[in-house]
Amino acid sequence: MRSEEIRERFLRFFQDRGHRLVKSSSLIPDDPTLLLTNAGMVQFKPYFLGAVKPEFTRATTCQKCVRTTDIEKVGYTARHLTFFEMLGNFSFGDYYKKEAIPWAWQFLTEEMGLDVSRLYCSVYEEDDEAYAIWRDVVGVPEERLARLGKEDNFWDMGTTGPCGPCSEILYDQGEEYGCGRPDCRVGCDCDRYLELWNLVFMQFDRDERGELHPLPNKNIDTGLGLERLASVLQGVANNFETDTLAAVLYRVADLAGVPYGKGEESDVSMKIVADHSRAFTFMVGDGILPSNEDRGYILRRLIRRAVRHGRLLGITRTFLPSMVEVVVETMGGAYPELKQNSTFIISIVRAEEERFTQTLRSGLFYFEEAVRDLREKGGEVIPGEVVFHLHDTLGFPLELTRELAREKGLALDEEGFSRLMEEQRNRARAARIQEGYTAQVQEIYTEVLDNFGETRFTGYQTMADKARIVALVKGSHAVPEASAGEEVEVFLDRTPFYGEMGGQVGDTGVLIGPSGEAEVVDTQHPMRDLTSHRARVKKGRLAVGETVEAVVDRERRLAIRRNHTATHILHYALRRVLGEHAKQAGSLVEPQRLRFDFTHFAPLDADELRRVEEMANAVIIEDHPVRAYITTYDYAVSIDAVALFGEKYEDYVRVVEVDDISRELCGGTHVERTGEIGLLVITGESGIGANMRRIEALTGKEAYRFYRARQDLLERLAGSLRVEVDRLPDRVERLRQRVKELEAELKKRESREVAALAEGGVELSETEIAPGTVMITFRVDGLDPQKLRELAERTLLQRGAGAVGIATVCDDKANLVVALSRPLVEMGLDAVELVRAAAREIGGGGGGRPDMAVGGGSNKEGLPGAMRALVEEARKRLESGHA
Ligand code: ATP
Ligand code: MG
């Protein structure tokens, strides 16, 4: 029977018994206490704990599982894998032992047709109820029933919480699988009595003192290993030879050119490669990436271990992509996510293999040298320095060195290694301080990072998250708590708050603790991977160790992400309108507005700006999907993702795609569809340096507000002009026309007035100031300086005089003006000097140009004297010839 059929018949069997078919959950569990999903019950934990009420009381699943606790056993036992599929049926306060036990038996014997005489069952030593059901209801003879102790048959999730006895169904594979020890029986570690199925009867709640209290609702949680059952049904020697794994195993053998079964050592390596290939393919498929921490580290270890065993088998070229392919072929039917992500998985796995191959090459060489050295000296323990060098300089994980040593029959000086690691950490710390940071605070940041690791950013998925306060920093001190009124930096183990980066400002929001509340006013990264929430405690207090509800100001974040996606769209539109040279040079993404700097050689004209804005709005209105994913830098480059010039990127990068319109490397937060942006309006364009332009724009509500304000303005304008908005241009044009006419009319009238004055009506006196040159002087009251000047000019022209002087009293002040003809100015006479000399008589001063100057003073009575002085001064200067 093929694995696929087993899977389907199991799920059908329980669906027929009222179970809801639930999909396998991701290998990344929704549970901070667990790195990887390792059993079917993981996704149901909240139901078992009573935290959430399920919509159904019976469920059945086929769950993908990874168990790294079994990693050392892989290849050495017949039954252990790091990746396996667990079939399960679950009861949440519904049926219990009387149903679960007979059903399990019925499935194995009737549905699967297992040989009854080979089946054994174990129960917890105190569980008489289960024992009786096996014996009396199912009819298992007592010699095939075993009572086992706590380690084997009592299950719990931890020191407290739900727990209960369990009961296992085992299959006797025959003596040849056994260890041969005289006391080999059910419960033995060897492969003879193969544990197929574990039925857990969750019936107690254990309190802090370790006392057991019966649960009001009893639960069932069972786990049946698909590969183990398949190995029995297919009559093969181990998990690796079952149909799904065999294809993978034979692929390794093919690639190595070594037949499976050739020898113990090569078989173990093949099994390890086959198993690990399944594990890392599924892990990357679920979004885990190689790193030095947590599940990323487990993944890295699995990939590297597979590479090393591949090399041991003699495979010299890059081969893991081919392993991914065979896993996708064999498992892609049941797990379509593998097919969907296969290109991505291959690119990640290939990159990690290539990197590690480099490492391995230099590291193994060094290791072999060190071992030869050691052997010559007759030593058996590889010194800490060697282990450290392998780790620190050559990138060998400790486990790898340990494994290599074990293969050589040598031990490691792990204590020496740890000491060197610690020293190195101290050195690094000292170095960081010397880089000129404010030592103390920097030290705290470093401490926080060292002790609690990087802050996990959950803000791509959520705007509210539960998180633990790992540290509080006030001024330059770490503090255990902060109370109302205090300002602190809060460090969390995970956070939905986006720390300012890549032009996008930091989030604001609130932290709600069990006994207090703080307002987050800004979020920053004092160090890479470390997020600091600048907060002010508003109520009560916050303390280290507390769990808080971290809630981002949603409205603000939504506005920010609209602006952020808009910058990507603007970038696209600019390149389309202006050409490929228009590249992003910087940006600022705030909630109220966005700013986008780019390279271009000239100001944008109105038409270009309008085309850019129109194109951007077309993208918005078409409501394109926006998606983000992580990939290798090389892959991103190969698909032409736009990278910021001069930025340094990690091996893994995040790509943000607006449909097939734009693709950029970006860590920011974005809308899900462009339609959310609503509207984009360009509010400014300016130059900010050589060949560098800046566009300012608004989106969403701000853009609406902008247009709303414009509209209001128009309406007010139309109201005050008493027309419809549509008719404003007409009306304004008519008004301008009218103003022009009136101005012309006014000018004419004024000129007429002045002309009348100049022509008569006032008494003029004419004095010869030089032979043939006359100066005309007269007085007219009530003229302002402007009119005074006009009148002087006009008189000069109309009378053909050499100079004109006019006196006036206006607004109770005495003024006078002097105008000189061009020839007089050329002779060196200066109107400013003349007017100043005359203004002395009226107790004032004056100024202007050499041909026209105005003076003024408060002494009105002095005016006649001033006029005389004017004529005198002109004559004197001309006479003396040094005018
Ligand atoms: P074992 O003692 O053989 O390691 P277990 O007690 O760890 O098994 P459970 O935790 O009860 O197993 O898991 C339920 C079922 O899942 C097991 O009965 C077995 O069929 C299967 N299973 C557990 N671990 C593995 C593994 N490493 N590889 C393959 N199947 C496994
Ligand atoms: Mg186990």
Side-chain angles (χ1 to χ4, degrees), residues 210-230:
E211 273 170 38
L212 299 177
H213 305 280
L215 281 172
N217 290 321
K218 298 188 174 35
N219 304 306
I220 291 289
D221 153 32
T222 87
L224 166 63
L226 174 61
E227 294 81 356
R228 292 191 187 179
L229 178 57

Side-chain angles (χ1 to χ4, degrees), residues 67 70 73 80:
R67 285 198 182 175
D70 289 338
K73 296 184 194 148
H80 285 105

Side-chain angles (χ1 to χ4, degrees), residues 457 460 498-506 523-525 529 564 667-668:
F457 179 60
Y460 291 135
Y498 184 87
E500 179 170 333
M501 211 176 7
Q504 181 178 331
V505 296
T523 310
Q524 291 286 335
H525 292 289
D529 304 327
H564 202 152

